[in-house]
Amino acid sequence: MDGYFRSTVVVVTGASRGIGRSTALEFARRGARVVLAARTADRLAHVADEVRALGAEVLAVPTDVTAPDSVRALVAGTVGRFGRIDVLVNNAGIGKVGAAESATFDDDVHQTLRASLFGMIDVTRAVLPIMRRQGSGTVVGMSSVMGRKAFARFGSYAIVMHAVSAFSDSLRQELAGSGVRVSVIHPALTATDLLRDTDEAEMPPPFRHMTPLSADDVARAVVRAVRRGRRRVVLPRTASILLLAEAFSPRLGDLVATALTKRPVARMLGMSRGTTYHDAILSLPATG
Ligand SMILES: NC(=O)c1ccc[n+]([C@@H]2O[C@H](COP(=O)([O-])OP(=O)(O)OC[C@H]3O[C@@H](n4cnc5c(N)ncnc54)[C@H](OP(=O)(O)O)[C@@H]3O)[C@@H](O)[C@H]2O)c1
């Protein structure tokens, strides 16, 4: 630990479980003061105890990122307690699985936009004046591999993840010269509760045999991205092959996506190592 994050103030949304919880703990291990935001107060209190057990200062603020008053209270509470905000990790979000022709598709898009995009925009806009005054800070956007390449039956999620990526890209350029940096993270399938209620059979074929990342893998990538000022991080690195193929031509992107449905190809790229999402998630207690 090099002390880079010692006493920095890090706000993590969606910190009650999954990637957000792991990210908060990872920053706490590096000496940061951590602000936890999510809707479920008792889960937040539990994560706050875990942060304290690491010897770090913590503030838990029950927050709904879709409610503007709640967002204002989060930012006011943070500045009231710590006087500054060095890192904002916009991680709160939801995800739905369903085909474009399914009856709930419109609703899925609207709900995901509210929680994962407009929530992020609102929190970011509330925090930016503070970072601009400081002349420093980092805003992290949590997108997905699906923020660069959509998969069948993940249309509603992919639409929103593309938007999270585009917002981060545009914001980074608007903030050039201000001292405020923007990083966007694109993890592949991760073993969290996000898709716990999705039937294995409903998952697009490559996801049925893919070995998920752990929430801790993603958390370490977030911390590294902030430390190194990385603009964009794709996890695992081999997923970049898919994104490069897609950038070159959608036909090639689809070919790689189809090839990943073959277990040996996914295995060769290190994306199918035995344990699947459903194996991993069923071995973990539900935290929702
Ligand atoms: N799991 C994956 O495969 C994967 C892959 C790539 C990217 N991601 C992204 O990673 C982020 C975290 O997801 P996860 O996988 O850790 O899922 P998760 O375990 O379901 O956690 C989602 C978090 O977001 C919070 N949240 C949801 N709606 C909220 C709202 N309106 N206001 C405040 N907090 C809210 C939840 O807490 P409360 O319910 O307590 O509010 C929870 O803490 C999401 O943005 C997701 O899109 C996930």
Side-chain angles (χ1 to χ4, degrees), residues 246-269:
E246 176 70 13
F248 191 67
S249 110
R251 183 191 295 266
L252 210 52
D254 286 359
L255 269 176
V256 175
T258 307
L260 285 173
T261 64
K262 315 279 180 237
R263 198 185 279 265
V265 176
R267 198 179 297 130
M268 199 176 70
L269 293 175

Side-chain angles (χ1 to χ4, degrees), residues 16 25 31 34 41 96 105 129 184 214 218 251 256 259 266 269 277 281:
S16 61
L25 294 176
V34 181
K96 310 270 181 191
F105 190 76
V184 60
S214 72
V218 182
R251 183 191 295 266
V256 175
L269 293 175
Y277 173 83
I281 205 66

Side-chain angles (χ1 to χ4, degrees), residues 123-144:
V123 179
T124 302
R125 284 167 50 86
V127 166
L128 278 178
I130 295 152
M131 290 186 171
R132 277 197 184 273
R133 265 199 305 278
Q134 291 168 184
S136 68
T138 302
V139 177
V140 179
M142 188 58 70
S143 180
S144 159

Side-chain angles (χ1 to χ4, degrees), residues 153-279:
R153 292 206 282 282
F154 268 108
S156 62
Y157 185 65
I159 287 169
V160 179
M161 292 299 107
H162 272 73
V164 167
S165 176
F167 175 72
S168 305
D169 204 5
S170 158
L171 184 67
R172 187 183 68 246
Q173 294 169 68
E174 289 174 20
L175 290 171
S178 69
V180 182
R181 304 194 293 200
V182 179
S183 297
V184 60
I185 316 294
H186 295 264
L189 187 65
T190 306
T192 69
D193 281 346
L194 192 78
L195 303 172
R196 182 183 277 272
D197 297 333
T198 306
D199 255 15
E200 196 161 13
E202 271 184 73
M203 303 275 262
F207 292 83
R208 292 182 208 152
H209 58 239
M210 222 170 247
T211 300
L213 297 162
S214 72
D216 290 349
D217 293 335
V218 182
R220 284 189 289 272
V222 171
V223 170
R224 264 197 316 273
V226 176
R227 175 74 178 87
R228 296 179 187 169
R230 297 280 304 275
R231 289 170 168 81
R232 185 183 300 286
V233 173
V234 176
L235 276 184
R237 285 169 103 147
T238 45
S240 298
I241 295 168
L242 171 68
L243 304 189
L244 277 173
E246 176 70 13
F248 191 67
S249 110
R251 183 191 295 266
L252 210 52
D254 286 359
L255 269 176
V256 175
T258 307
L260 285 173
T261 64
K262 315 279 180 237
R263 198 185 279 265
V265 176
R267 198 179 297 130
M268 199 176 70
L269 293 175
M271 291 181 178
S272 178
R273 299 187 306 277
T275 309
T276 66
Y277 173 83
H278 280 86
D279 293 339

Side-chain angles (χ1 to χ4, degrees), residues 14 16-17 19 39-40 63-65 91 93 142-143 157 187 190 192:
S16 61
R17 58 174 191 263
I19 294 170
R39 292 164 302 179
T40 318
T63 305
D64 182 343
V65 296
N91 165 79
M142 188 58 70
S143 180
Y157 185 65
T190 306
T192 69

